[in-house]
Amino acid sequence: MHNSFSCWNPWRWYGELRHVWQDTRLLVLSAQIAAIYAAVLIPFKVGIPIIPGFVELRPANVIPIVSSLLFGPAAAWGAGIGNVIGDCFGTLGPASFFGFLGNFLYGYVPYLLWGNLGWLSSGREPVVRSWRQGLEYVIICAAASMVCAATISWGVELLGLLPFWLLFPAIFLNNLVMATLLGPPLLLFLYPRIKQWNLYYRDLTFMGAVGEKQEPSGDLLPSASLPRAKAGSVAVSIQDVTFRPMHVEHPVLKHVSLDVQRGELVVLMGRSGSGKTSLCYALNGLVPQFIRGEWTGTVMVHGQSTTQSPVWQQANGVGMVFQDFETQLVSTNVEAELRCALEAQGVTHDVTDEASFHEHVRCLLDLVGLPGLERRDPFSLSGGQRQRLVVASVLVREPRVIVMDQPLTDLDPAGRRQFLRLLTELKAKGITIIIATHGIEDLMEADRVCVLDQGEMVWQGIPRELLGQPDLAERYGLNPYPLAACFQGKGVQVLPATVEEAWHLADTLGLSIVAPESHEQDSDVVRSEPPATVLELSNVSAQYQLGVPALSRVSVSFQAGEFVAILGQNGSGKSTLAKLCNGLLLPSEGRVVVLGQETQQTGGLSSIVGYVFQNPDHQIFAETVHKEIAFGAENAGCSPGECDARVTEALQAVGLTGAEDRDPFSLTKGERQRVAVASILAAKPRILIVDEPTTGLDAEESVRMMNMMRTLNQQGHTVIVITHDMGIVANYATRCVLMRDGTILADGPTREMFSDPALVQSAALALPALTRFTQRWGVTLLTVEEVQKAWSAS
């Protein structure tokens, strides 16, 4: 395993050290290394000095060695700068220059030497798994420690502060001992993850060279089935793109071609893993510039190739809303988030003074449905509100193309309607919009739908054509339109795509809905006595920072074996209520009682009330899927054998068997969501609370997830879901708790709640299309199966 840069060519050294300041990823890595190095150095400045003012006991000295082997020249800059930052806390002086230089070399020499020691090199990756790797590691540590110690000691002696013979051995031994003892386990932990996340420096430089050779000329012809648009009217041109990421066996995009007109709204659909996100990332150069791999084809945005200019230069022209939208939030309040988006991109705007800037922000927040929240901390907002804020941070730069990956997942129905009005306004301005999503019902005004499957473009058409073909939707892992499914088998050539079309078709066929004598879904089990109360909130209030109330005197109880849906618009208090139920939050007033004990007094609540966060990344922490899922069972006191059995059972339940050894953070968001659910299932809590269980999941994954929760409920577990998906509620929940402005608006059986459209609408929600269809005949039905049983020919 040899270095991609020759160790003996000084021009190579200069080139790669300079390259760090030209590559955003490497610059960020350098900054992170500097911050971590300084943070670990600083406490020991006043801890255990060896030579006061010059050398302290430094466990942090392992960081430059490990970082150098992983990140190459980025570690050199990080180590040098981190040491100077540390000196600012007590020892900053003329000698700090030599400290910078010594640590700079200390963070560069290991990278240069690994694999370049001739017969002493192990020829393997930079981890210690064999005696030869261990020998190579010790030699490199000794060499780097010697160079660092010699540089600093010589400089300090030159300044007349300390003699070389006194300082050199202290620095050398300190570096060598810390690096030798602490480095091997740290490398064993970090190296697999760095490789998996495509951050290993030698991979980055190698794949960069490959990518340059593979860049096509741009003269490729489009697919025969996709006619080229008129010259000058095409905003986005994707021609014969194939992409296989590093460390992935098969391409995620295969010969994809697509032309998108200026001002067109195009929706990308397909099951998870079909290539939607990769195609979105290719539109602003993230693929293949940041997400490296084998790339062929061209992507042109307004005539410019996405592979020929840095990603940061393309951000003004192509605005991106990620599926993991929270990663785009960086500021301490809403207004600062929008200001940061402008300043970071250097956008020249009509805002000429503070007053006009504030007015611009106010109008933009009104547009996305966040009026009056300028001073709120973004992370005190609900998930749906944070998603709208990210959309606003993209719009503030006024890009000509906007790409959104799953932008509707965390929005309530009212938020979705507002979002669709926003899309209409953007289209009218000539802005091109490309959206990746799993559902099309909310995007009926789209100009085109493109379906991907296994990386290939398999179908294109208008939304109503897709809604009217349930078989096509199921074939490619999409949600079939329930109303269309109700008419299957009726000999209809064209199935309905709206409620109005369904009413007209029913009249044409002479069909009507007759109320069944009983609704089996309402009561699956006849109970001889009322079920026990397992969870109760009495006059509970809660608030977040700045005195913003989240809940106000809420009283509600949950019984054993219930399947309850908590509903309400973004910011109505649903997630706050859920966090109170398992003790993550404590009420400012009132009582929360679980199995007869208040949450303030109950220990081990996590084994009684399992809570799956809206964002799975807020609870995942372990290095493998197996360890993540086993954690809850281990805390519950299970034996190793029982833990393994529970892990296996939980993985089977969420459809992730075989992923035990994967790093959870290398999985897709939908897979991470399932890991989070499995980790709770393994603890076998009596009460399971899941916040937005189907966020980011495709149709097949959503059905699997909800069927799993139904099975748990049938086994006696109390299941509480927080969701905006009214179709999920209709198919699975037997009871609804409707919230508005931090209070309980209504509470009752699902069918009873859905029978009152005005009540549902008052909470900024909307009934499913299927239910609205049946209410024409004075009947409230909830599922396709119920409708098919209730058909009556007139």
Side-chain angles (χ1 to χ4, degrees), residues 177-419:
V177 170
M178 292 302 172
T180 303
L181 292 179
L182 302 179
L186 194 56
L187 278 169
L188 282 171
F189 175 79
L190 290 175
Y191 178 77
R193 289 157 181 77
I194 298 303
K195 288 286 286 185
Q196 208 164 39
W197 298 334
N198 298 333
L199 291 175
Y200 186 45
Y201 181 75
R202 296 180 184 180
D203 284 347
L204 289 176
T205 54
F206 172 75
M207 291 311 297
V210 172
E212 289 173 6
K213 294 176 182 177
Q214 291 181 329
E215 175 64 30
S217 64
D219 295 329
L220 297 174
L221 293 175
S223 169
S225 61
L226 298 168
R228 186 182 294 275
K230 295 179 181 179
S233 64
V234 175
V236 175
S237 178
I238 303 167
Q239 301 301 327
D240 199 30
V241 165
T242 297
F243 177 64
R244 182 179 70 83
M246 291 173 60
H247 314 305
V248 174
E249 186 176 353
H250 302 290
V252 295
L253 295 173
K254 304 175 187 175
H255 304 290
V256 175
S257 294
L258 175 67
D259 281 337
V260 182
Q261 309 291 317
R262 179 179 178 274
E264 190 176 10
L265 171 56
V266 173
V267 177
L268 304 177
M269 299 190 70
R271 57 170 56 90
S272 295
S274 61
K276 303 185 301 296
T277 296
S278 295
L279 190 57
C280 288
Y281 288 173
L283 297 177
N284 72 345
L286 285 172
V287 168
Q289 294 192 52
F290 271 48
I291 304 171
R292 298 282 185 157
E294 296 177 3
W295 165 274
T296 60
T298 58
V299 176
M300 307 288 288
V301 177
H302 288 288
Q304 300 295 317
S305 171
T306 59
T307 59
Q308 296 300 312
S309 57
V311 172
W312 66 267
Q313 287 185 355
Q314 301 180 54
N316 288 338
V318 181
M320 177 77 73
V321 177
F322 295 104
Q323 182 178 1
D324 292 337
F325 55 86
E326 289 184 352
T327 61
Q328 296 179 251
L329 297 173
V330 297
S331 295
T332 55
N333 66 52
V334 169
E335 183 180 284
E337 190 70 43
L338 302 184
R339 186 189 298 272
C340 181
L342 283 174
E343 293 176 349
Q345 300 300 328
V347 177
T348 57
H349 205 272
D350 290 337
V351 179
T352 56
D353 53 41
E354 280 298 305
S356 56
F357 172 74
H358 292 315
E359 178 62 20
H360 181 66
V361 167
R362 187 192 65 77
C363 293
L364 190 57
L365 293 179
D366 285 346
L367 190 64
V368 299
L370 296 175
L373 299 182
E374 288 88 343
R375 297 301 172 187
R376 285 282 295 275
D377 180 344
F379 288 94
S380 73
L381 303 175
S382 71
Q385 290 171 325
R386 291 198 293 272
Q387 192 169 33
R388 296 186 209 182
L389 175 57
V390 171
V391 172
S393 71
V394 170
L395 294 179
V396 75
R397 299 196 301 268
E398 298 184 350
R400 291 187 292 174
V401 176
I402 297 177
V403 182
M404 303 182 183
D405 194 357
Q406 306 289 347
L408 298 171
T409 53
D410 290 310
L411 298 182
D412 57 48
R416 293 184 180 207
R417 290 193 295 271
Q418 194 161 25
F419 178 78

Side-chain angles (χ1 to χ4, degrees), residues 555-557 564 735-738 744-749 752-753 759:
S555 295
V556 64
S557 62
V564 184
R735 172 187 164 199
C736 295
V737 175
L738 195 59
I744 302 293
L745 180 63
D747 183 355
E752 180 181 311
M753 299 279 282
L759 173 65

Side-chain angles (χ1 to χ4, degrees), residues 535-538 540 580-583 585 587 590-594 597-600:
L535 176 61
E536 185 174 13
L537 291 82
S538 301
V540 169
L580 287 165
C581 290
N582 78 335
L585 292 177
R591 301 167 65 243
V592 180
V593 179
V594 178
Q597 290 190 322
E598 291 192 38
T599 53
Q600 293 98 322

Side-chain angles (χ1 to χ4, degrees), residues 422-487:
L422 174 61
L423 294 183
T424 301
E425 292 183 28
L426 295 175
K427 274 173 54 67
K429 294 180 179 180
I431 294 174
T432 305
I433 305 168
I434 299 174
I435 293 177
T437 185
H438 286 134
I440 193 61
E441 290 181 55
D442 292 309
L443 293 166
M444 287 294 290
E445 300 304 315
D447 298 296
R448 199 171 7 149
V449 180
C450 300
V451 178
L452 292 163
D453 191 53
Q454 297 182 355
E456 299 181 86
M457 191 77 70
V458 294
W459 187 87
Q460 291 190 49
I462 61 174
R464 66 153 294 105
E465 290 178 344
L466 182 61
L467 290 179
Q469 300 184 62
D471 292 338
L472 177 72
E474 291 183 0
R475 185 187 317 155
Y476 296 122
L478 308 177
N479 280 309
Y481 187 49
L483 276 182
C486 289
F487 286 89

Side-chain angles (χ1 to χ4, degrees), residues 493-558:
Q493 294 294 322
V494 180
L495 295 172
T498 66
V499 173
E500 291 73 20
E501 288 180 13
W503 285 335
H504 178 73
L505 182 57
D507 292 340
T508 301
L509 297 175
L511 297 174
S512 61
I513 298 292
V514 175
E517 294 181 3
S518 64
H519 295 293
E520 295 180 1
Q521 181 182 335
D522 291 345
S523 180
D524 293 329
V525 180
V526 177
R527 301 181 184 273
S528 57
E529 58 184 31
T533 297
V534 294
L535 176 61
E536 185 174 13
L537 291 82
S538 301
N539 293 317
V540 169
S541 296
Q543 63 183 28
Y544 286 113
Q545 62 174 13
L546 303 177
V548 178
L551 291 181
S552 179
R553 303 189 66 81
V554 166
S555 295
V556 64
S557 62
F558 302 94

